[in-house]
Amino acid sequence: FIYEYKRRAEYMKEPEPVYQPPTTAFEIFLRRVGALKGLRLEDQQDFKIYYSELTGALRSYLGDILHFDALEKTSSELLDELQAYPLSSDYRRTIESLFREADFVKFAKSLPLRSDTERLTQRIITCTKDHHEAQEQARQIAKARALEGKEVIE
């Protein structure tokens, strides 16, 4: 009887939930761009899908961190909107070149070289990572100042 009770108690015990830290916009961006590495880039349709997903990932990231609806804007509207935000000039140029290239591929049926596409993807990943690290550093400084009791301006 006791054996049966203990066996049932073990069976009915709910598993402890596994803690998963919240996913950041940067992690989502990296996951979406990482999924593109397996895509074959042989014809115009492949490049169109690749650039659509790459720009979609970047739009989602920018929309999340800058708090505006980047997915609903055209490329030129998005670039105009980004002028109001403190982005580095290198990051801004990289974003502009990505959207320009993506528009050529999607609308003008341009067929870029695979090496150019991979190089541009690496540049956008690097610049986004640098921007993310700068944002994190600014948050850490703001937290430190808040703990010291100084005025924090975000």
Side-chain angles (χ1 to χ4, degrees), residues 116-131:
D116 291 343
T117 301
E118 290 171 353
R119 191 174 317 113
L120 183 57
T121 302
Q122 278 308 116
R123 271 186 56 210
I124 203 70
I125 290 170
T126 302
C127 288
T128 303
K129 183 178 179 183
D130 292 345
H131 180 264

Side-chain angles (χ1 to χ4, degrees), residues 2-13:
I2 295 173
Y3 170 75
E4 188 68 24
Y5 174 77
K6 288 201 179 247
R7 187 177 66 82
R8 285 187 185 177
E10 283 293 319
Y11 176 75
M12 295 181 70
K13 191 186 292 184

Side-chain angles (χ1 to χ4, degrees), residues 6 17 32 48 56 60 64 102 111 122 137 150 152:
K6 288 201 179 247
R32 286 180 69 180
K48 184 176 180 178
S60 294
D64 286 346
L111 193 62
Q122 278 308 116
Q137 203 171 34
K150 294 182 179 176
V152 179

Side-chain angles (χ1 to χ4, degrees), residues 22 62 153:
L62 292 171
I153 300 173

Side-chain angles (χ1 to χ4, degrees), residues 79 81-97:
L79 293 172
E81 179 86 23
L82 291 177
Q83 297 299 323
Y85 294 96
L87 301 174
S88 71
S89 60
D90 184 41
Y91 192 34
R92 194 179 311 275
R93 278 193 308 271
T94 304
I95 292 170
E96 288 172 4
S97 63

Side-chain angles (χ1 to χ4, degrees), residues 98-113:
L98 171 66
F99 283 115
R100 185 175 45 253
E101 183 73 27
D103 286 347
F104 282 141
V105 169
K106 293 191 285 188
F107 304 118
K109 309 284 189 229
S110 171
L111 193 62
L113 295 174

Side-chain angles (χ1 to χ4, degrees), residues 8-69:
R8 285 187 185 177
E10 283 293 319
Y11 176 75
M12 295 181 70
K13 191 186 292 184
E14 291 185 26
E16 291 185 29
V18 177
Y19 173 74
Q20 293 183 348
T23 305
T24 65
F26 181 67
E27 291 169 347
I28 294 169
F29 169 78
L30 288 179
R31 191 177 314 131
R32 286 180 69 180
V33 173
L36 296 175
K37 292 189 184 203
L39 289 180
R40 63 182 180 86
L41 297 174
E42 296 174 4
D43 61 1
Q44 206 280 328
Q45 188 64 28
D46 295 337
F47 280 99
K48 184 176 180 178
I49 291 168
Y50 184 90
Y51 275 100
S52 294
E53 183 58 31
L54 181 59
T55 57
L58 184 61
R59 285 173 186 268
S60 294
Y61 171 75
L62 292 171
D64 286 346
I65 63 164
L66 301 176
H67 309 293
F68 70 95
D69 194 12

